[in-house]
Amino acid sequence: QVQLVESGGGLVQAGGSLRLSCAASGRTFDGYAMGWFRQAPGKEREFVGAISGSTNFTYYADSVKGRFTISRDNAKNTVYLQMNSLKPEDTAVYYCAARGGYSPGSMYAYNYDYWGQGTQVTVSS
């Protein structure tokens, strides 16, 4: 069992930056690919980006490419989402997710085994 706890959300003006963190419990953190998803009010949960467990390969949704960066520190069991040049349309609850079994990251939510509780990000115009 893996528990995920996100932090770092808040209110920021358009053009600003935030860094979200997702701390994971348990061992063998490098065996988990980590994904970030978001869900805005009235919309479906959407993929933001993912990072593999050991190779740190990353990929992103087109909507955030070039603005958001995912990184991880396996020694701290933590994955980060650095968000720059934020836009009002980035407003959402952001979730981190873990996919075990040394599997690669995925853009599909159903591939992830564990989810955090989410953290709110609000970007004002």
Side-chain angles (χ1 to χ4, degrees), residues 62-78:
D62 287 344
S63 59
V64 306
K65 199 173 296 182
R67 300 188 298 122
F68 290 11
T69 302
I70 298 174
S71 61
R72 65 190 295 158
D73 185 338
N74 288 340
K76 296 182 178 180
N77 283 15
T78 301

Side-chain angles (χ1 to χ4, degrees), residues 61-102:
D62 287 344
S63 59
V64 306
K65 199 173 296 182
R67 300 188 298 122
F68 290 11
T69 302
I70 298 174
S71 61
R72 65 190 295 158
D73 185 338
N74 288 340
K76 296 182 178 180
N77 283 15
T78 301
V79 63
Y80 304 98
L81 179 64
Q82 178 67 44
M83 305 185 293
N84 298 329
S85 302
L86 282 161
K87 305 175 181 180
E89 51 264 43
D90 295 317
T91 295
V93 177
Y94 282 71
Y95 300 88
C96 68
R99 184 186 190 195
Y102 293 89

Side-chain angles (χ1 to χ4, degrees), residues 11-13 20 23-24 30 33-34 37 51 53 75 79 85 93 96 123:
L11 174 64
V12 64
Q13 289 188 332
L20 305 184
D30 62 347
M34 302 297 294
F37 292 77
I51 185 168
V79 63
S85 302
V93 177
C96 68
V123 184

